[in-house]
Every structure is written in C-alpha cells, then in structure tokens.
C-alpha cells in the first residue's frame, strides 16, 4: 500500500513510518521539520540524540534494505500538498503533522493563532487535495482524547445515542477541550466529518490518549534510529517529565492533587493502531472515530509508578505537589470506551515496571542532555 506519513520526523510519526515500511508498505514521509525549530525556540532538546531526518532514513535503508521517501513540505502550502497527492496518489494518508502541545498553544496570543493556523489550515489542505486528486485515499487522522474533556458520563467512541423530548438521534459526542491546541483537534474533527458528508471522503479519526514509551522493534535495530524523547514542561508529557526528574534526582512534581485521569498507550501500540486503521479503511463517505488508548491512570498514579522503579534503580525521589498551571477538574469521573481497535486485533502493551525501567535507564544514561530548568512549568492557562 502507498502510504504517506505526514509528520514522519516526530515522536509518533518516525516509529510509525519505520513500522509500516518494515511491514512492506511503500512509505513516504512528509515533514516541514518545524518540531526541530521549536526546540531551538524553546531552548529545549530531545533527551535522546536524534539524527537529521535524511540521515535517519539512510540508516533505515542500511539496516533494513527498505527505502522510505522523504519530502520536506509544509501542509499549509497547498501547492506543495497538491503536488504530493498528484505524484504519489496515496492509498492512505496518515496525518501526524500538527503542533501537538497544549502548553505551546497557551504561551500567548501569537502561539494560539499559529497553532490554529498550522493545524486547521493543514488539515483543510489535505481534505481538498484528497477530494481533487485522490478521492479513494483513506485519511487516518490523529485526534486526541483531550477533545472530550472530563465529562461526568462515559466517553463513547465519537458518537452518542441521544433521546430528547421523545426523539432519538446519533450525534457527535460533545466536546469540552482543555486548551487552544485541543480546540484545533475539535475543529479538525468537524471539518473532516463535513468533508466526508459532502465529498464522500473516507476517514478514521483516532482520538489518541497520551503516548508513552520510546522504542519499537524497528528503532531498536540500530541506536541511530532512536526516537525523540521530550521532557520539557511544554512538549514533555507528565510521564516523561517524571521519568527525567527521577533520572536527575529531582522531586516528581505533581500538578495539583494528581487526581486528573486520562487514557494512555505505549508507542508500540500507536504504530499498530495506525496499521489496523490503514488495513481496515473506512467506507466511502464514512467518518469513523476510534478511541486509541489502552489504560487509564491518574497523574499521581503515574508518579508513584515512576517513584517505585526509580528507587529500585537506586534513585530515591519524592513526590512534590506543585501549583497546577492548567485549568482542569480534580477527583472527577473518567471512563472511556476503547473497544473498536481491540476488536480489530490490537494486543496492548501495558505500562509495566520493566517498561519504566528501560526508559528510566535511557534517561539516566543521557542526563548530560537534560536542562533542569525545563522540567518545571512556565506556561499557565490563566
């Protein structure tokens, strides 16, 4: 299958491109390398030393014998997007190519606007290019569980059966996003759903939980294929921050009382979910939503897991409560449905002590690359 992986230089995109290539698909990475530019802007870096994209692809060719094409292009440039679709005629377009950080979107007005411009405009360009040049292409779009917020009812997979004043309907699940970034994902979902309805586009919206982990079978084949590992308070997830804090002997800083609960999944499950979506495409005109996560944890539970493993490795760290820079509920109900991908064959990798040990050891071996000032929040919602 001819598959474009947009955002293929990023944390989710890079291992996905390798995985699909290893499975025998004809993979093209499209990326504008903006994530590397943001590192420069924020004075941050990956804990793991990552090669330039062209070098990474060359190493993959060396160890696997398989080619991955690379196109440096920006999805907000419609001429570039249309040229890619006309040249490749992809059967699946895997769309990771968005600014993926809630704190980044909350820095100031300019960042909120740029976040919307990049994410919403890029997705609209992809939709128009599919319509104009590859109408049979299946769009596999990375959404987020953060679109739903923290409702006091079960979170269904994209749709909700509603009875109101004696009438029934199946409606999109209500969205309560928690940042301007999450709002861009809601806008994307609405735009994709509309395009499916009017143009007959086929699309799968993967509302992904927080991704953890570092390596996949493919990246483990050579140290030069290692994935990026963000740890700063802008792009690093709570679990990544805890892991790096433990590695450098810093208290594990829990936002608020730590009861905030979300869905999580291993990066190894992310790449498998993408494969499942590509190999089981949506029907013509179908807007399909899958909730892509495997387990649910509170922030405090994650911190306690990291603390236990760190102590086993000789780093005795404490949990510390810090003021929450975000505006979110505590002690809330959270129960999300995630059966569709499991029914299609996903076999989850769970968050075990062994997994945490592997990643903490990587962080401990790269503490010289950690800027201690970046592990504490500097961006606040209010």
């Amino acid at each position: 299958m001819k598959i474009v992986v947009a955002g293929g230089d990023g944390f989710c995109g890079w291992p996905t491109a390798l995985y699909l290539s290893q499975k025998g698909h004809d993979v093209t990475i499209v990326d504008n390398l903006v994530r590397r530019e943001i590192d420069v802007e924020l004075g941050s870096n990956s804990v793991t030393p990552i090669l330039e994209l062209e070098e990474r692809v060359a190493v993959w060719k060396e160890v696997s014998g398989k080619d991955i094409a690379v196109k440096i292009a920006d999805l907000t440039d419609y001429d570039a997007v249309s040229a890619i679709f006309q040249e490749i005629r992809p059967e699946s377009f895997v769309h990771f190519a968005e600014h993926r950080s809630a704190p980044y979107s909350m820095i100031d007005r300019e960042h909120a606007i740029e976040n919307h411009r990049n994410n919403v405009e890029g997705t609209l360009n992809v939709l128009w290019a599919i319509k104009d040049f590859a109408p049979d292409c299946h769009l596999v779009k990375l959404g987020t569980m953060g679109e739903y917020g923290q409702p006091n009812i079960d979170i269904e997979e994209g749709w909700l059966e509603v009875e109101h004043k004696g009438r029934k309907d199946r409606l999109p699940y209500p969205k309560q996003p928690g940042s301007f970034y999450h709002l861009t994902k809601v806008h994307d979902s609405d735009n994709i759903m509309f395009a499916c309805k009017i143009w007959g586009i086929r699309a799968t919206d993967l509302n992904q939980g927080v991704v953890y982990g570092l390596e996949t079978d493919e990246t483990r084949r050579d140290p030069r294929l290692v994935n990026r590992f963000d740890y700063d308070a802008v792009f690093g997830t709570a679990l990544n921050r805890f892991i790096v804090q433990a590695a450098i002997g810093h208290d594990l800083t829990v936002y608020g009382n730590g009861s905030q609960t979300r869905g999580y999944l291993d990066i190894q499950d992310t790449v498998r979910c993408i494969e499942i979506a590509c190999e089981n495409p949506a029907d013509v005109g179908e807007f399909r939503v899958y909730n892509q996560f495997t387990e649910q944890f509170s922030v405090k539970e994650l911190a306690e897991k990291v603390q236990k493993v760190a102590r086993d490795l000789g780093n005795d760290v404490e949990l510390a409560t810090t003021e929450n820079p975000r505006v979110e509920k505590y002690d809330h109900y959270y129960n999300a449905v995630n059966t569709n991908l499991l029914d299609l064959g996903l076999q989850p990798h769970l968050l075990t002590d062994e997994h945490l040990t592997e990643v903490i050891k990587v962080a401990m071996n790269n503490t010289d690359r950690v800027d201690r000032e970046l592990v504490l929040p500097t961006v606040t919602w209010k």
Side-chain angles (χ1 to χ4, degrees):
M1 184 183 300
K2 291 190 290 185
I3 302 176
V4 168
V5 179
D9 189 43
F11 170 65
C12 290
W14 174 244
T16 298
L18 299 188
Y19 180 85
L20 294 173
S21 175
Q22 180 61 34
K23 290 290 185 176
H25 298 291
D26 181 359
V27 176
T28 298
I29 288 175
V30 175
D31 205 296
N32 66 354
L33 308 181
V34 70
R35 182 63 190 87
R36 295 174 185 257
E37 296 174 9
I38 291 174
D39 272 347
V40 175
E41 174 197 346
L42 298 176
S44 186
N45 62 295
S46 168
V47 174
T48 49
I50 55 174
L51 298 177
E52 296 299 321
L53 178 56
E54 295 284 359
E55 296 177 277
R56 299 171 106 182
V57 168
V59 172
W60 176 245
K61 169 71 171 178
E62 177 186 326
V63 302
S64 72
K66 298 178 182 295
D67 289 303
I68 294 179
V70 172
K71 293 191 178 296
I72 306 303
D74 192 325
L75 296 189
T76 64
D77 178 354
Y78 187 68
D79 288 341
V81 175
S82 61
I84 287 167
F85 271 87
Q86 290 178 80
E87 176 187 342
I88 299 173
R89 305 284 178 177
E91 295 162 83
S92 288
F93 188 96
V94 179
H95 185 6
F96 292 108
E98 297 196 329
H99 296 171
R100 59 171 178 81
S101 163
Y104 190 74
S105 75
M106 302 297 292
I107 290 175
D108 54 27
R109 181 185 65 84
E110 290 81 7
H111 282 81
I113 291 172
E114 175 59 20
N115 193 248
H116 274 68
R117 187 198 68 82
N118 181 84
N119 293 2
V120 178
E121 184 180 348
T123 298
L124 282 170
N125 280 343
V126 170
L127 290 171
W128 280 94
I130 291 174
K131 168 188 173 289
D132 289 342
F133 306 112
D136 291 329
C137 178
H138 176 215
L139 174 60
V140 179
K141 170 67 168 59
L142 259 289
T144 169
M145 291 294 294
E147 292 187 33
Y148 298 120
Q150 300 161 290
N152 198 38
I153 60 174
D154 287 2
I155 298 173
E156 304 297 336
E157 300 203 63
W159 300 89
L160 188 65
E161 299 287 343
V162 176
E163 183 172 352
H164 180 64
K165 294 184 177 180
R167 302 188 69 83
K168 295 181 180 180
D169 205 348
R170 178 176 180 265
L171 300 173
Y173 194 96
K175 306 296 179 65
Q176 301 180 71
S179 73
F180 287 121
Y181 154 73
H182 290 104
L183 275 160
T184 70
K185 294 291 191 175
V186 173
H187 301 327
D188 285 340
S189 294
D190 287 343
N191 288 336
I192 296 168
M193 180 173 61
F194 182 67
C196 290
K197 181 171 67 174
I198 62 171
W199 295 331
I201 286 175
R202 56 180 81 215
T204 299
D205 200 7
L206 296 173
N207 283 337
Q208 181 168 255
V210 183
V211 183
Y212 62 82
L214 180 64
E215 302 281 21
T216 62
D217 288 343
E218 290 71 37
T219 63
R220 290 188 181 98
R221 294 180 66 172
D222 191 294
R224 296 171 294 172
L225 296 174
V226 69
N227 201 8
R228 71 175 296 126
F229 184 178
D230 297 309
Y231 68 95
D232 62 275
V234 176
F235 273 85
T237 64
L239 183 55
N240 277 12
R241 286 192 304 103
F242 294 152
I243 287 171
V244 170
Q245 287 174 337
I248 63 176
H250 192 289
D251 287 348
L252 309 187
T253 51
V254 176
Y255 293 171
N257 72 9
S259 63
Q260 311 93 302
T261 301
R262 301 289 188 273
Y264 292 81
L265 79 161
D266 191 304
I267 186 65
Q268 297 172 101
D269 292 333
T270 292
V271 302
R272 173 63 178 138
C273 289
I274 298 298
E275 179 188 31
I276 289 172
C278 289
E279 293 185 345
N280 299 272
D283 293 332
V284 173
E286 180 185 12
F287 175 67
R288 185 174 66 178
V289 182
Y290 292 162
N291 290 343
Q292 183 171 306
F293 73 96
T294 56
E295 298 179 274
Q296 296 179 175
F297 299 106
S298 71
V299 172
K300 188 175 181 182
E301 286 173 329
L302 292 177
E304 289 171 343
K305 284 177 174 289
V306 172
Q307 181 187 42
K308 175 185 179 297
V309 173
R311 285 178 172 172
D312 291 342
L313 293 172
N315 280 20
D316 191 1
V317 292
E318 300 295 331
L319 270 59
T321 298
T322 189
E323 184 177 357
N324 192 347
R326 303 184 180 217
V327 176
E328 54 189 349
K329 296 178 183 177
Y330 296 123
D331 304 309
H332 59 93
Y333 181 80
Y334 194 88
N335 187 48
V337 175
N338 65 335
T339 57
N340 283 328
L341 287 162
L342 295 173
D343 289 345
L344 288 171
L346 175 65
Q347 297 178 320
H349 297 78
L350 303 182
L351 183 57
T352 62
D353 288 355
E354 290 76 17
H355 172 85
L356 286 172
T357 298
E358 177 188 30
V359 183
I360 292 175
K361 284 182 176 179
V362 171
M364 292 172 69
N365 290 334
N366 289 280
T367 54
D368 60 312
R369 294 179 56 83
V370 176
D371 184 339
R372 297 176 68 96
E373 295 183 0
L374 297 178
V375 300
L376 295 176
T378 57
V379 179
T380 62
W381 267 225
K382 291 183 178 180

